[in-house]
Amino acid sequence: MIEELLPGAVAVVEAYDGDALGDGVSLYPEEEAVIAQAVEKRRREFTAVRACARQAMEKLGVPPQPVLPGERGAPRWPDGLIGSMTHCAGYCAAALVPAGDLVSLGIDAEPHDRLPEGVLEAVALPTEQTRLRGLARSHPSIHWDRLLFSAKESVYKSWFPLTGKWLDFLEADIEIDPGAATDVSGGFRARLLVPGPLVDGRRIKAFDGRWTVLRGLAATAVVVPRP
Ligand SMILES: CC(C)(COP(=O)(O)OP(=O)(O)OC[C@H]1O[C@@H](n2cnc3c(N)ncnc32)[C@H](O)[C@@H]1OP(=O)(O)O)[C@@H](O)C(=O)NCCC(=O)NCCS
């Protein structure tokens, strides 16, 4: 699912509930130490997504190795790789690419359901809320509020490795392109309302991404290409 949203150079490995997420996978001791105190649900998702990350490393010819959380929880990838991970009920995915191919990337998956009461107002700008109402009228089968939320998470996951800074939900204005009327995928653009990171001397003003709704999930991916 997320593979469809990313360029071909990105190695994506996904797992669904039916794949017995994380069963039979042993963590490296360093990873084990990170989640020693975690509840069972967190341990399962942490393990399952790392199994995906190891397979993605193998796809790229990189020996599998631990993926430890770094600053503010951002995953620390082996030298020369960049990537992103996501997990939600019944699904997890890891996407990795050689650092020479892309500057940054972020992926996110969520259950394709309405956001809980009050969340949209907290994470969406008034202009975004207005656009979502229009999308809901023209494409009522899609939970656009959830897609917007997922897009913001993907933006943050691609923003953070470039800046090392927090980005508030209201600091990016996201416009979602609904795609073809019969399709369940499309693109989006996140216009930054704060100064973006400098990449090779060029200031990034917007992040571009793609979305899809499939198998009860809403998924998004953001890619920052080399200038
Ligand atoms: C960090 C965050 C984006 C994770 O998203 P989520 O939907 O809660 O959870 P997901 O399962 O999709 O992703 C979790 C993975 O994100 C990754 N992640 C966590 N912090 C991260 C960071 N600072 N930068 C990049 N990736 C990060 C980790 O790999 C994590 O998995 P792990 O803990 O097993 O290693 C979210 O919790 C958060 O803090 N959001 C607030 C910031 C934001 O979204 N701003 C919007 C800007 S427009």
Side-chain angles (χ1 to χ4, degrees), residues 75-100:
R76 282 166 38 204
W77 298 112
D79 284 348
L81 292 186
I82 60 166
S84 184
M85 299 190 286
T86 186
H87 25 61
C88 66
Y91 177 79
C92 66
L96 288 178
V97 69

Side-chain angles (χ1 to χ4, degrees), residues 42 45-46 49-50 67 69 71-75 77 84-88 107-110 149 151-153 155-158 160-161 166-172 174:
R42 170 65 178 143
E45 66 183 26
F46 182 97
V49 81
R50 276 159 179 78
V67 183
E71 203 188 341
R72 295 210 195 181
W77 298 112
S84 184
M85 299 190 286
T86 186
H87 25 61
C88 66
I107 62 169
D108 185 76
E110 303 272 330
F149 183 80
K152 293 210 172 207
E153 302 282 56
V155 166
Y156 180 70
K157 290 178 189 177
S158 54
F160 187 82
W166 174 252
L167 181 68
D168 195 79
F169 283 100
L170 304 182
E171 291 179 328
I174 298 188

Side-chain angles (χ1 to χ4, degrees), residues 1-53:
M1 178 174 69
I2 281 183
E3 193 162 26
E4 311 286 306
L5 307 180
L6 289 162
V10 183
V12 181
V13 177
E14 310 174 288
Y16 293 85
D17 231 357
D19 304 330
L21 293 173
D23 281 2
V25 178
S26 352
L27 291 171
Y28 291 100
E30 308 92 300
E31 293 173 331
E32 190 64 53
V34 170
I35 48 151
Q37 310 295 327
V39 296
E40 184 55 23
K41 176 178 172 292
R42 170 65 178 143
R43 167 178 286 275
R44 280 180 67 80
E45 66 183 26
F46 182 97
T47 306
V49 81
R50 276 159 179 78
C52 293

Side-chain angles (χ1 to χ4, degrees), residues 25-225:
V25 178
S26 352
L27 291 171
Y28 291 100
E30 308 92 300
E31 293 173 331
E32 190 64 53
V34 170
I35 48 151
Q37 310 295 327
V39 296
E40 184 55 23
K41 176 178 172 292
R42 170 65 178 143
R43 167 178 286 275
R44 280 180 67 80
E45 66 183 26
F46 182 97
T47 306
V49 81
R50 276 159 179 78
C52 293
R54 286 182 209 172
Q55 286 175 43
M57 287 178 207
E58 280 174 332
K59 277 189 172 187
L60 294 172
V62 174
Q65 45 204 288
V67 183
L68 300 175
E71 203 188 341
R72 295 210 195 181
R76 282 166 38 204
W77 298 112
D79 284 348
L81 292 186
I82 60 166
S84 184
M85 299 190 286
T86 186
H87 25 61
C88 66
Y91 177 79
C92 66
L96 288 178
V97 69
D101 290 6
L102 293 176
V103 175
S104 189
L105 72 90
I107 62 169
D108 185 76
E110 303 272 330
H112 180 227
D113 207 349
R114 288 181 62 121
L115 283 176
E117 200 68 33
V119 173
L120 182 67
E121 292 68 25
V123 301
L125 295 157
T127 45
E128 292 175 320
Q129 293 181 40
T130 304
R131 281 188 221 115
L132 293 197
R133 282 194 288 275
L135 287 169
R137 279 193 293 275
S138 55
H139 302 77
S141 62
I142 291 183
H143 294 293
W144 297 102
D145 57 343
R146 183 67 75 161
L147 265 181
L148 182 86
F149 183 80
S150 174
K152 293 210 172 207
E153 302 282 56
S154 282
V155 166
Y156 180 70
K157 290 178 189 177
S158 54
W159 153 279
F160 187 82
L162 296 177
T163 60
K165 287 190 193 155
W166 174 252
L167 181 68
D168 195 79
F169 283 100
L170 304 182
E171 291 179 328
D173 182 2
I174 298 188
E175 189 158 4
I176 303 177
D177 169 3
T182 52
D183 217 346
V184 285
S185 63
F188 62 88
R189 166 158 283 205
R191 203 165 46 82
L192 294 171
L193 305 180
V194 292
L198 272 178
V199 174
D200 294 347
R202 186 184 58 120
R203 179 134 346 249
I204 296 185
K205 295 187 174 155
F207 287 84
D208 289 316
R210 295 191 50 72
W211 62 267
T212 189
V213 168
L214 212 58
R215 299 173 87 164
L217 298 166
T220 57
V222 164
V223 155
V224 184

